[in-house]
Amino acid sequence: MRRVYSTDNGMMAGLVCDLLRQQGIDCSIRNQGLWSALGELPPNECWPEVWIANDRDFDRAMHIVNAATVPDTDAGPDWTCTCGERIEGQFAACWHCGSPRP
Ligand SMILES: [Zn+2]
């Protein structure tokens, strides 16, 4: 088990987990229940966290997480990868081949 992502946004934790599963990476969300109790716990202690089941998936998982979680301020226009894949502006890397945004 290894943590690949934590966020104060429960929706993002769910999204990241879905994406990882789509890529065949077994993962789970921790602290989701505590998240609703926010205000009574130190903020960082109760953020939802995404954990992967197999450590060997870590590099691949981090790649997916990083691609999925570009801050809004970095979101640009949609772009087309060198492999021909059309990528939405909030993603910094190609889903298909992993190339970074040019
Ligand atoms: Zn590509």
Side-chain angles (χ1 to χ4, degrees):
M1 294 289 289
R2 207 162 163 187
R3 191 182 67 175
V4 294
Y5 184 57
S6 72
T7 175
D8 61 351
N9 183 333
M11 298 249 310
M12 274 306 293
L15 177 73
V16 165
C17 201
D18 283 348
L19 289 171
L20 291 172
R21 284 176 180 151
Q22 280 172 23
Q23 302 294 321
I25 297 174
D26 191 12
C27 63
S28 57
I29 298 174
R30 293 186 182 182
N31 287 351
Q32 197 163 41
L34 288 176
W35 183 60
S36 59
L38 208 119
E40 304 198 7
L41 295 164
N44 276 323
E45 294 295 310
C46 54
W47 281 12
E49 298 175 341
V50 178
W51 288 68
I52 55 170
N54 297 308
D55 287 5
R56 61 186 155 79
D57 289 331
F58 184 74
D59 287 345
R60 210 154 57 92
M62 283 309 297
H63 191 79
I64 294 165
V65 168
N66 288 335
T69 56
V70 177
D72 287 347
T73 49
D74 284 355
D78 291 359
W79 53 284
T80 303
C81 179
T82 49
C83 74
E85 194 79 7
R86 184 79 178 159
I87 314 292
E88 290 179 33
Q90 69 264 37
F91 298 114
C94 173
W95 290 109
H96 187 69
C97 69
S99 298
R101 180 166 57 193

